[in-house]
Amino acid sequence: MTKARIVINRAVLLEHGKFEARVKVYEIPKSLKFPQGYKVSCSLVERETGILRVLLDNHEPFGYHLHTKLPEDKSFRAGVDVKNHIEAIRLFFREARKVYNED
């Protein structure tokens, strides 16, 4: 079995350091669970509290989806219509912007 290979592993501070956005993308063998061959995790964390505010990830049976009701409702998922991991990352940063513009 081929191992996962990390293709993106970045963290960036947003809103004058109040938030940290973390983006990880792994290239993995294509499968039913990951038909495009990428596992994606994008998270927005409040740095002072460590609270996760937004999470975008992908796995079956949901495909790419957002967890936007964090930390109150960890099980809430909103499906998103993206073609690949690049579009998913762009969408994540648009959602992150909504969170820190509310604060």
Side-chain angles (χ1 to χ4, degrees):
M1 177 186 240
T2 307
K3 291 185 178 182
R5 180 177 73 89
I6 194 150
V7 292
I8 300 173
N9 185 11
R10 301 248 166 81
V12 74
L13 298 180
L14 302 172
E15 195 59 18
H16 308 289
K18 184 174 180 179
F19 294 95
E20 181 176 22
R22 302 172 186 157
V23 176
K24 290 187 179 186
V25 178
Y26 296 88
E27 186 176 24
I28 59 175
K30 290 182 180 180
S31 65
L32 289 176
K33 191 171 182 179
F34 299 101
Q36 293 181 343
Y38 291 96
K39 177 164 177 42
V40 177
S41 176
C42 302
S43 57
L44 181 70
V45 177
E46 287 183 25
R47 291 184 69 219
E48 185 175 307
T49 63
I51 294 173
L52 179 62
R53 295 289 302 274
V54 176
L55 173 66
L56 179 143
D57 60 341
N58 69 316
H59 55 80
E60 289 303 324
F62 305 106
Y64 286 101
H65 58 279
L66 282 161
H67 299 262
T68 56
K69 295 185 178 182
L70 298 171
E72 293 82 19
D73 187 351
K74 294 178 183 179
S75 64
F76 176 82
R77 293 174 178 89
V80 296
D81 186 23
V82 296
K83 293 181 177 89
N84 55 45
H85 65 284
I86 302 299
E87 285 186 13
I89 293 167
R90 288 182 182 136
L91 175 66
F92 164 74
F93 278 101
R94 286 194 301 272
E95 289 298 316
R97 191 173 298 118
K98 289 178 188 177
V99 169
Y100 61 75
N101 283 338
E102 288 175 358
D103 287 359

